[in-house]
Amino acid sequence: MTLKTTLAATTALTLAATGAFAQEMSNDMTIVSWGGAYQNSQLKAYVEPYQELHPEVNVVWDESSAEAVAKLRAMNEANNITWDLVDVEAADGIRLCDEGLAMEIDVDEQLAEGDDGSSASDDFGDSIVSDCFVPQIVFSTTVGYRTDMVGDTPPSDICAIFDTETYPGKRALNKRPLANMEWALLCDGVAKDDIYDVLATDEGQTQAFAKLDSIKADTVWWTAGAETPQLLADGEVVMGSTYNGRLFSAIAEQDQPIGMLWDAQMLDFDGWVVPDGLSEEREARVMDFLKFATDTQRLADQAKYIAYGPARASSAPLVSTHAELGIEMAEHMPTDPANATNVFVTNYGFWSDYRDDLDSKFQAWLAQ
């Protein structure tokens, strides 16, 4: 064998070994989500079907999505990334990308095209709010109320939250500023189109906190979306905010005496980010899962378990009935025309810029 042939053979073996290594995948994957009915919908629609194809994969759940930004900052600082895939709201997806804490993803190269032949970027459309954010669902933050605790005139307006005379009793609100600040200004007379311009000012923030002061003593503050449905089921609050899918679960699946208020529902996107800095094997596994979990059929399948709209246009026609109840799911989506007569689209760009400052002010206000 000549020296030239030997070198060529050695190079070929080296390239083959490198290629094989690049295809190796970790068998462990930590997925971060929000717990409750929502996380269960991800388990049923994405994780269990993926594990049927890949029984070697062990998935560990972490329910820390509400703290995703702070925890990923800390992991990055410690150079110890323990999460593989993180479910976040759109605004947090933008923040994590801007701070270099999430990996940029070429959706057309790394994700599945639509079942209708559309590219992934066209299929997801405007829901791609960041180079690092892979959209999953359209959801809303809205208000549920006890039907047997509101008298003969159930609430139909978002400002019922602040009307303790007509609807006495405790309220449940998120222990974060998002939605609370917008609703406070809206119910204090600020026009919907002006909300974020006003909220960007010190005077507007003071106005929002003053409105929230009027019900502060009557409010139970929640940190997990599952808390409000439980508080309502237990009769501890007369009304409270949470995610529309959590309320659907309490009403349709658990048959609780709860009604849903769609007025001024806060529409938003939720999706995935992959933490920056994963090993090659962990990144290969999570991207293989992500391509599977965000294809047309899987996003449509999630709507069998919870009333969130799929972020892909090609998934919408495939939304059918609830997996167990057999009821049509389309009419329970926040985007259904009957539910969307007065929506409030969350300005995720605003929250990506102002979130840290308003979080700090909100927690200081709570402590007063």
Side-chain angles (χ1 to χ4, degrees), residues 13-24 280:
L13 286 171
T14 301
L15 289 173
T18 302
F21 176 76
Q23 296 304 309
E24 289 181 6
E280 187 174 359

Side-chain angles (χ1 to χ4, degrees), residues 122-337:
D122 286 342
D123 207 12
F124 284 114
D126 292 341
S127 62
I128 302 176
V129 299
S130 161
D131 291 336
C132 308
F133 181 76
V134 180
Q136 181 187 173
I137 59 162
V138 180
F139 74 99
S140 74
T141 301
T142 188
V143 171
Y145 57 89
R146 278 288 296 237
T147 56
D148 56 350
M149 294 173 63
V150 293
D152 297 330
T153 309
S156 59
D157 184 285
I158 192 65
C159 297
I161 293 174
F162 298 95
D163 186 357
T164 55
E165 182 176 345
T166 304
Y167 304 107
K170 293 287 187 180
R171 282 89 168 107
L173 292 175
N174 196 348
K175 201 175 182 179
R176 300 187 298 165
L178 199 151
N180 294 326
M181 304 292 275
E182 289 97 330
W183 287 336
L185 289 178
L186 190 66
C187 295
D188 203 43
V190 178
K192 186 164 65 172
D193 290 345
D194 297 333
I195 293 290
Y196 288 107
D197 288 338
V198 173
L199 195 53
T201 68
D202 289 338
E203 295 80 9
Q205 293 165 21
T206 298
Q207 181 181 355
F209 283 124
K211 185 66 174 178
L212 288 167
D213 271 330
S214 68
I215 57 168
K216 188 177 184 182
D218 297 301
T219 300
V220 177
W221 301 98
W222 58 265
T223 57
E227 291 178 46
T228 290
Q230 189 61 56
L231 289 166
L232 287 167
D234 294 341
E236 295 186 30
V237 299
V238 65
M239 65 180 65
S241 68
T242 189
Y243 311 117
N244 73 282
R246 305 303 181 100
L247 290 172
F248 168 83
S249 179
I251 296 167
E253 297 175 353
Q254 302 169 26
D255 197 27
Q256 296 290 339
I258 297 172
M260 197 183 312
L261 182 64
W262 290 106
D263 184 58
Q265 57 165 320
M266 300 285 298
L267 281 180
D268 205 342
F269 295 115
D270 205 86
W272 300 108
V273 295
V274 178
D276 190 58
L278 298 183
S279 68
E280 187 174 359
E281 296 87 353
R282 289 171 65 192
E283 182 181 321
R285 171 61 68 192
V286 76
M287 290 309 301
D288 187 69
F289 171 78
L290 194 57
K291 184 175 183 178
F292 173 85
T294 59
D295 70 15
T296 295
Q297 188 62 57
R298 250 47 62 179
L299 292 186
D301 285 348
Q302 188 176 8
K304 295 179 181 178
Y305 303 97
I306 200 162
Y308 295 140
R312 276 186 182 263
S314 65
S315 301
L318 303 183
V319 172
S320 57
T321 59
H322 190 278
E324 298 173 0
L325 302 178
I327 60 176
E328 292 293 334
M329 293 298 289
E331 65 192 70
H332 298 284
M333 300 296 170
T335 51
D336 183 79

